[in-house]
Amino acid sequence: MNQQPESNQTHFGYKTVDKDSKASMVAGVFHSVAAKYDLMNDLLSMGIHRIWKRFTIDCSGVRAGHRVLDLAGGTGDLAAKFSRLVGEKGQVVLADINDSMLKVGRDKLRDKGIVGNVEYVQANAECLPFPDNHFDLITIAFGLRNVTDKDKALASMFRVLKPGGRLLVLEFSKPEIEALSKAYDLYSFHVLPKVGQLVVGDAESYQYLAESIRMHPDQDTLKGMMETVGFEQVTYHNLTGGIVALHRGFKF
Amino acid sequence: MPAPQLLAGALELALNKVLSLDNASQQRLAPLCGKRMRVKLKELPWPLTFVFSSQIDLLMDDEQPVDCAMELSLTHLQEMQDPANISALIQDKKLSLNGDMHTAQSFAALLKELDIDWEEQLSRYTGDVFAHQSVQLAKSLHQRAKGHLQQLGQIIKDGALHEKQLAAHPLAVEDFSRDVNKLRADTARFEARLSQLEQLKASR
Ligand SMILES: C[S@@+](CC[C@H](N)C(=O)[O-])C[C@H]1O[C@@H](n2cnc3c(N)ncnc32)[C@H](O)[C@@H]1O
């Protein structure tokens, strides 16, 4: 179930679509939710996503002067914090494939007075427009799930990471307990699209969200994928019973 | 379970809130800008790392180097907030300090000016921490869940009043209400289970 089909087709949630059209369909999803994205995040995860993100930052080892890539960074939650943590001599690149999300992120960070050490780059995770060995840290939070060719994206991240640098992948995963898994399914397939309909007027995007979560590789599969492209000392940490997992890998 | 992140998030919010109420806060933060200070309180299982910029970020990170690290117990935190007391506390072995003394002094001065009742703030997290941890976390998540349900109801009500596009089909609302009710019932069951667990713990 976690394998991509061999042909030029891929998953869009449960639908199988042409690889070429997945990117634009994903774009459609995020265009349609961009403006209310943060509100929805809070509602749908009941605010817990903030704790997942804090945990990610605590595991990042980020220091003053570091160069950080927040990939699929969307509305910039992580980037805002990194900007303060790396300080004036450091640099944060907020990269996203979608210019609506980037724009919301840029406006939000500007409103918070965060300027100077943050750059905004529209980029596809599969072919990152940065030199080799460039970043001390790469984070991708709730983004890998949406990428068409995940292996290609992971390899691209490996390439732009400095030796000694680390990658953190925060993503929905497989709940550890069957009962939790069931309750969670109920929530994501029944409640989620309806809230989406009510608040954003778009049930389909949230139906996609629920489906894409289910189709995403489980903890050990993702760990293996990271190792295959070259990451070392790959470990993962389940959060909230495995609803979400944080994977960490190093390049040496 | 990331209970420490819950604590860090709450403290960070509180600290920055207090700072934002103070007109001179940027001035007070200036000598600390770019510095990192790690505080290990004897009553807490995790060290807190304060990172200073135009605000304060709190990390639960034990790994990275800092400008200054101090270790003390909560009961001496109040005394420490007078920079003049620092040497005496060190001599009495009530405070151990590693690193840049200036950072420690500016930090103490900042804490004093912020005037936060730390014992009160931290009381939920100290003491028999490990025994309480899961119950505390579950409780606060449960509170959050309840709060969000109310908030959600309000947002939907406001939204429906002010924004035409948000007015949902009556059937969808009915359906949604049913889900919310179910969630509420689940929450109530969870609550009952929780108090059962608490009783169990208390009786042991
Ligand atoms: C669920 S959002 C996560 C945003 C943010 N990281 C957070 O945690 O709140 C997923 C983001 O991934 C972006 N995305 C999807 N496919 C991508 C790709 N191939 N390359 C880069 N970003 C992509 C979307 O535009 C969207 O902003």
Side-chain angles (χ1 to χ4, degrees):
Chain A
M1 157 162 157
N2 293 318
Q3 246 81 54
Q4 300 266 329
E6 282 293 305
S7 65
N8 58 349
Q9 301 223 300
T10 185
H11 297 295
F12 179 76
Y14 283 173
K15 292 180 205 137
T16 303
V17 298
D18 283 347
K19 274 193 178 160
D20 291 342
S21 54
K22 169 158 175 172
S24 69
M25 290 174 92
V26 170
V29 168
F30 288 103
H31 277 301
S32 98
V33 299
K36 294 210 168 117
Y37 178 78
D38 287 344
L39 170 68
M40 288 302 285
N41 249 358
D42 271 342
L43 287 176
L44 297 177
S45 75
M46 301 182 177
I48 304 174
H49 75 107
R50 292 173 191 277
I51 293 175
W52 296 332
K53 286 175 181 163
R54 286 199 83 93
F55 185 76
T56 306
I57 289 166
D58 287 340
C59 293
S60 71
V62 72
R63 282 196 235 165
H66 272 179
R67 191 183 280 150
V68 178
L69 171 63
D70 182 19
L71 188 52
T75 56
D77 277 352
L78 289 175
K81 202 151 189 109
F82 284 136
S83 157
R84 294 190 297 267
L85 296 176
V86 302
E88 284 171 359
K89 295 204 180 76
Q91 191 200 13
V92 179
V93 177
L94 176 62
D96 200 290
I97 200 168
N98 188 296
D99 57 342
S100 305
M101 291 295 271
L102 270 182
K103 197 172 170 310
V104 175
R106 186 168 42 214
D107 292 348
K108 187 165 99 181
L109 266 54
R110 287 215 177 122
D111 286 349
K112 285 187 175 176
I114 295 169
V115 281
N117 64 356
V118 185
E119 258 181 57
Y120 303 84
V121 176
Q122 189 173 3
N124 186 341
E126 290 171 21
C127 39
L128 292 168
F130 306 107
D132 293 358
N133 309 322
H134 193 62
F135 293 101
D136 298 285
L137 168 71
I138 301 176
T139 54
I140 177 164
F142 305 111
L144 190 60
R145 192 180 68 239
N146 304 300
V147 173
T148 312
D149 191 336
K150 298 178 181 53
D151 297 309
K152 200 170 161 197
L154 288 169
S156 182
M157 295 176 218
F158 188 77
R159 179 184 66 77
V160 301
L161 198 62
K162 279 184 196 169
R166 66 179 95 180
L167 166 69
L168 295 173
V169 181
L170 182 66
E171 191 53 90
F172 289 104
S173 206
K174 191 163 183 284
E176 294 160 291
I177 314 164
E178 193 55 28
L180 180 60
S181 187
K182 288 230 172 72
Y184 181 57
D185 269 2
L186 196 87
Y187 174 71
S188 51
F189 283 97
H190 297 277
V191 181
L192 228 138
K194 274 168 202 144
V195 180
Q197 178 62 44
L198 282 169
V199 180
V200 198
D202 179 0
E204 223 175 278
S205 291
Y206 285 90
Q207 177 76 22
Y208 161 74
L209 176 64
E211 292 175 5
S212 70
I213 290 170
R214 267 281 204 77
M215 302 302 285
H216 190 71
D218 65 18
Q219 286 86 334
D220 288 312
T221 310
L222 179 55
K223 179 170 183 266
M225 287 162 68
M226 287 172 69
E227 285 163 347
T228 305
V229 301
F231 286 100
E232 292 182 55
Q233 289 183 15
V234 180
T235 52
Y236 63 81
H237 197 105
N238 283 329
L239 299 167
T240 319
I243 288 182
V244 163
L246 179 68
H247 282 70
R248 175 161 78 167
F250 293 84
K251 173 174 176 178
F252 291 118
Chain B
M1 223 6 132
Q5 277 71 31
L6 212 59
L7 165 64
L11 277 183
E12 185 183 293
L13 201 70
L15 278 170
N16 289 305
K17 191 111 207 170
V18 176
L19 277 174
S20 72
L21 296 175
D22 174 3
N23 289 331
S25 66
Q26 289 309 314
Q27 223 170 306
R28 300 191 208 288
L29 279 170
L32 286 163
C33 190
K35 299 268 193 265
R36 289 188 181 210
M37 172 93 216
R38 183 164 298 142
V39 179
K40 174 95 190 71
L41 289 171
K42 297 212 165 83
E43 292 83 355
L44 274 187
W46 328 277
L48 292 162
T49 302
F50 294 74
V51 184
F52 301 97
S53 57
S54 56
Q55 66 164 77
I56 296 176
D57 287 283
L58 260 185
L59 297 179
M60 291 277 178
D61 151 283
D62 215 356
E63 221 186 300
Q64 300 302 315
V66 290
D67 297 284
C68 183
M70 61 167 66
E71 190 169 340
L72 76 170
S73 82
L74 198 48
T75 44
H76 298 121
L77 196 61
Q78 213 67 33
E79 283 171 74
M80 188 278 289
Q81 293 180 19
D82 185 347
N85 287 341
I86 291 184
S87 307
L89 283 170
I90 294 176
Q91 259 167 18
D92 295 348
K93 301 218 162 10
K94 287 174 181 156
L95 168 67
S96 92
L97 203 127
N98 234 318
D100 177 27
M101 186 68 170
H102 279 299
T103 304
Q105 284 171 334
S106 314
F107 179 66
L110 179 73
L111 286 188
K112 188 176 182 190
E113 276 148 5
L114 291 181
D115 195 24
I116 289 173
D117 187 344
W118 289 96
E119 288 196 58
E120 155 102 43
Q121 288 293 326
L122 294 175
S123 60
R124 290 192 305 140
Y125 298 91
T126 54
D128 193 4
V129 176
F130 286 110
H132 284 283
Q133 184 174 330
S134 53
V135 174
Q136 292 286 8
L137 179 71
K139 256 195 188 157
S140 65
L141 290 182
H142 167 70
Q143 281 303 331
R144 284 182 90 102
K146 258 177 40 186
H148 276 285
L149 277 180
Q150 283 162 4
Q151 200 186 339
L152 179 61
Q154 193 56 45
I155 286 170
I156 289 168
K157 230 167 65 196
D158 292 352
L161 283 175
H162 298 304
E163 279 179 64
K164 254 221 304 281
Q165 80 195 61
L166 281 184
H169 191 277
L171 275 179
V173 174
E174 202 181 294
D175 226 340
F176 176 66
S177 310
R178 209 173 315 126
D179 284 327
V180 171
N181 282 336
K182 175 149 186 354
L183 201 57
R184 205 169 272 143
D186 286 346
T187 318
R189 252 200 313 278
F190 177 52
E191 193 165 41
R193 176 94 183 104
L194 195 65
S195 61
Q196 229 174 27
L197 279 175
E198 277 177 315
Q199 273 164 16
L200 206 72
K201 208 183 91 213
S203 68
R204 261 198 265 144

